[in-house]
């Protein structure tokens, strides 16, 4: 038996090509063929809560629920039986800028999967009885999400950081809208946003690109690319506002706190140095191993001093802005310590000042590992393709990410972090027993002293 020793770089270079074709109506078809016996295929749409108004916020999420309630050709029972008989999984999600409907199935069933997806997206039945039934389901989900305090905290962070703009809206929308959204509101949302040029038919696994393009032409050629009265939706700029929001509840055992500055937009060249910086800061969970021996200095300190239950550095990118920050969970007595050391992670540990070659090398390795690990299976690959084509107009291959990560130097990390962090007004969101959270003006002043 011969052993083939492929380097990491060689294996990236040998990754399957992502092929991209545009139909006449503007719909794009993108696929990666891996030869698997299974595949994931779906529609990724440039629509989400950012495209909503105060009146219809939550419409995209409501529609996601309606999608599986049957189509004009397949009533709900028939649709469910079709999916079950294929042994497939039909799913959907909505985010602030994207919506996706996708199916994981056997490769041989790709034609049927594309047909069903086209039905779900183009011919959803939207009858009044189903709308009322799903209203109760959406309201129940809104109640449940209140128990997910990380989601609550990060939604509050968006609400304060992007106040007065559509990026402040949550994906689920308020319960008042869930009670009042009508069938007509959903029809209008579909008519405004589900247009061919804003859609990508993405597939990964045992798929043939020419076959997929043929299926797209069969099922999606009739998809509209025109807007009524040329009313093409234009995203209004979403300005960042340094500010704070607190939901104090002393009966809760732990405080959930997020602090963030304005980050880089999706296509910014600063994205990769900021991703490396976040990898250096890392994450920590008291339930995981490692303790004081963890490579992240903040994680080692959190473990040794019992500063928190968990923390994670994050960077959320949107088409024209972003949020770069830290989310942590701690008891009421260590909030001030965690705020201090979270801000210090941007400075003393040493993003803006003295980040070292070894810090950056470690951050790069960690980032590369996470990028590769995220693409484990046809569904995450399909999702990656769909989002990339919407964001960049193409799939950015792993080899290109790898080269951009390799090009990052300690000076780049220092310069880019200084640009985004030094003397900037942060946004802060806090939920729980947060009496000990430092005054906002003190937190803001700390951003100036980060450089010294």
């Amino acid at each position: 038996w011969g052993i083939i020793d492929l380097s990491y770089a060689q294996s990236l270079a040998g990754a399957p090509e992502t092929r991209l074709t545009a139909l006449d109506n503007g719909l794009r078809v993108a696929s990666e063929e891996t030869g698997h016996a299974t595949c994931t295929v779906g529609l990724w749409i440039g629509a989400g809560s950012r495209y909503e108004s105060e009146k219809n916020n939550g419409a995209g999420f409501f529609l996601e629920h309606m999608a599986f309630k049957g189509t004009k050709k397949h009533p709900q029972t028939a649709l469910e039986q079709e999916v079950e008989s294929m042994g497939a999984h039909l799913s959907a999600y909505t985010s602030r800028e994207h919506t996706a409907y996708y199916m994981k199935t056997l490769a041989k069933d790709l034609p049927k999967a594309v047909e069903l997806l086209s039905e779900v997206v183009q011919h959803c039945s939207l009858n009044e009885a189903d709308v009322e039934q799903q209203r109760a389901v959406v309201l129940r989900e809104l109640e449940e999400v209140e128990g997910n305090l990380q989601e609550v905290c990060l939604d509050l962070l968006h609400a304060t950081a992007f106040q007065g703009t559509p990026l402040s809206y949550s994906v689920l929308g308020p319960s008042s809208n869930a009670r009042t959204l009508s069938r007509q509101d959903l029809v209008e949302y579909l008519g405004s946003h589900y247009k061919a040029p804003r859609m990508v038919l993405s597939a990964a696994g045992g798929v043939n690109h020419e076959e997929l393009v043929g299926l797209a032409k069969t099922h999606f050629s009739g998809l509209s690319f025109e807007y009524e009265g040329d009313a093409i939706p234009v995203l209004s700029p979403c300005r960042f506002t340094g500010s704070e929001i607190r939901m104090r509840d002393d009966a809760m055992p732990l405080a959930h706190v997020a602090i963030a500055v304005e980050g880089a937009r999706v296509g910014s060249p600063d994205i990769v140095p900021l991703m490396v910086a976040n990898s250096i800061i890392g994450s920590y969970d008291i339930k995981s191993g490692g303790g004081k021996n963890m490579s992240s200095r903040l994680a080692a300190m959190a473990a040794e001093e019992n500063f928190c239950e968990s923390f994670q550095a994050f960077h959320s990118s949107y088409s024209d802005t972003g949020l770069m920050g830290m989310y942590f969970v701690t008891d009421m007595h260590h909030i001030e310590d965690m705020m201090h050391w979270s801000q210090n992670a941007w400075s003393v540990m040493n993003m803006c000042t003295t980040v070292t070659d070894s810090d950056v090398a470690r951050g790069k390795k960690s980032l590369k590992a996470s990028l590769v690990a995220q693409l484990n299976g046809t569904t995450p690959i399909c999702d990656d393709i769909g989002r990339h084509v919407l964001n960049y107009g193409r799939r950015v291959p792993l080899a290109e990410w790898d080269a951009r990560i390799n090009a990052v130097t300690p000076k780049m990390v220092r310069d880019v972090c200084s640009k985004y962090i030094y003397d900037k007004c942060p946004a802060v969101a806090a939920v729980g027993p947060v009496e000990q959270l430092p005054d906002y003006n003190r937190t803001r002043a700390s951003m100036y002293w980060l450089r010294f």
Side-chain angles (χ1 to χ4, degrees):
W1 290 92
I3 296 174
I4 300 170
D5 183 18
L6 280 179
S7 73
Y8 168 76
Q10 285 173 315
S11 65
L12 290 186
E17 173 196 10
T18 301
R19 297 182 61 189
L20 180 63
T21 303
L23 302 191
D24 291 342
N25 62 359
L27 182 131
R28 287 161 292 179
V29 182
S31 70
E32 176 183 298
E33 186 172 356
T34 61
H36 284 93
T38 60
C39 69
T40 301
V41 61
L43 274 166
W44 269 254
I45 307 165
S49 59
R50 183 176 179 177
Y51 292 84
E52 297 167 356
S53 65
E54 199 171 341
K55 178 180 175 291
N56 75 350
N57 180 208
F61 181 70
F62 206 122
L63 263 176
E64 177 196 318
H65 280 69
M66 293 301 301
F68 308 135
K69 296 298 120 185
T71 69
K72 289 167 185 172
K73 187 174 170 185
H74 294 90
Q76 183 178 354
T77 306
L79 178 65
E80 288 170 354
Q81 284 173 349
E82 287 274 13
V83 175
E84 284 290 317
S85 67
M86 293 159 63
H89 295 281
L90 180 60
S91 302
Y93 73 79
T94 308
S95 67
R96 283 182 165 82
E97 291 189 334
H98 299 149
T99 299
Y101 299 89
Y102 57 96
M103 190 182 290
K104 185 173 176 72
T105 185
L106 291 170
K108 68 179 180 64
D109 291 326
L110 177 70
K112 190 67 185 174
V114 174
E115 181 193 339
L116 290 175
L117 285 166
S118 78
E119 281 283 312
V120 162
V121 171
Q122 296 178 89
H123 306 298
C124 185
S125 63
L126 289 181
N127 69 59
E128 293 283 3
D130 285 340
V131 169
E132 290 311 313
Q133 183 194 16
Q134 287 310 298
R135 195 186 306 284
V137 175
V138 170
L139 284 166
R140 210 161 44 242
E141 284 196 31
L142 279 165
E143 280 180 26
E144 286 170 11
V145 89
E146 286 174 14
N148 182 340
L149 293 173
Q150 178 174 350
E151 202 164 319
V152 169
C153 188
L154 294 177
D155 274 347
L156 286 173
L157 184 70
H158 281 79
T160 195
F162 297 113
Q163 55 190 271
T165 77
L167 264 182
S168 68
Y169 302 146
S170 73
V171 172
L172 279 67
S175 56
S176 55
N177 281 8
R179 289 188 180 92
T180 57
L181 279 168
S182 66
R183 179 186 181 278
Q184 188 56 34
D185 291 325
L186 302 181
V187 169
E188 285 173 9
Y189 182 87
L190 271 172
S192 298
H193 301 296
Y194 281 33
K195 302 292 185 183
R198 289 167 62 180
M199 293 188 182
V200 177
L201 181 65
S202 169
V207 292
N208 175 279
H209 187 72
E210 282 75 20
E211 181 189 9
L212 187 65
V213 171
L215 291 166
K217 286 177 178 173
T218 301
H219 297 292
F220 294 102
S221 286
L223 198 60
S224 169
F225 58 89
E226 293 173 334
Y227 291 89
E228 212 170 294
D230 288 332
I232 299 172
V234 177
L235 280 180
S236 54
C238 286
R239 70 184 181 280
F240 177 93
T241 302
S243 53
E244 176 188 88
I245 186 166
R246 301 181 185 213
M247 277 180 57
R248 183 176 167 186
D249 182 350
D250 291 346
M252 290 169 60
L254 297 167
H256 296 251
V257 182
I259 176 172
V261 289
E262 183 171 19
R265 62 182 173 81
V266 157
S268 168
D270 296 332
I271 280 278
V272 173
L274 289 176
M275 288 164 75
V276 171
N278 266 356
S279 289
I280 294 169
I281 295 169
S283 62
Y284 166 74
D285 191 310
I286 200 167
K287 301 182 193 76
S288 302
K292 63 183 181 182
N293 299 308
M294 294 178 79
S295 55
S296 159
R297 289 183 230 176
L298 183 58
M301 185 182 299
E304 201 159 7
E305 304 292 339
N306 275 329
F307 279 155
C308 67
E309 298 285 309
S310 64
F311 78 78
Q312 65 185 76
F314 65 86
H315 191 283
S316 303
S317 294
Y318 302 106
S319 55
D320 57 351
T321 185
L323 282 178
M324 175 187 177
M326 191 94 70
Y327 164 77
F328 62 84
V329 181
T330 188
D331 62 58
M332 62 187 295
H333 304 295
H334 288 101
I335 295 174
E336 198 166 347
D337 290 328
M338 272 309 293
M339 281 296 281
H340 171 74
W341 289 114
S342 294
Q343 287 180 279
N344 264 25
W346 286 337
S347 60
V348 179
M349 298 185 188
N350 323 0
M351 297 306 129
C352 297
T353 50
T354 57
V355 67
T356 64
D357 286 337
S358 62
D359 287 331
V360 172
R362 175 174 58 78
K364 287 179 179 182
K365 283 181 182 174
S366 174
L367 178 57
K368 288 177 183 182
S370 68
L371 284 175
V372 173
Q374 282 168 17
L375 301 178
N376 182 23
T378 60
T379 301
I381 291 171
C382 188
D383 183 53
D384 197 57
I385 294 169
R387 288 185 297 103
H388 276 212
V389 175
L390 288 175
N391 286 335
Y392 308 112
R394 67 188 181 100
R395 168 90 182 283
V396 181
L398 271 177
E400 186 176 326
W401 283 119
D402 185 65
R404 290 174 65 186
I405 293 167
N406 286 337
V408 174
T409 64
K411 184 178 187 305
M412 284 170 71
V413 173
R414 288 194 294 269
D415 290 349
V416 171
C417 286
S418 293
K419 172 180 167 183
Y420 286 89
I421 296 167
Y422 170 60
D423 204 20
K424 295 289 191 278
C425 295
V428 180
V431 181
V434 294
E435 185 186 7
Q436 301 299 319
L437 186 71
D439 175 75
Y440 179 78
N441 288 325
R442 185 173 147 202
T443 302
R444 167 68 187 90
S446 299
M447 303 300 286
Y448 174 75
W449 293 106
L450 286 179
R451 195 73 175 264
F452 301 99

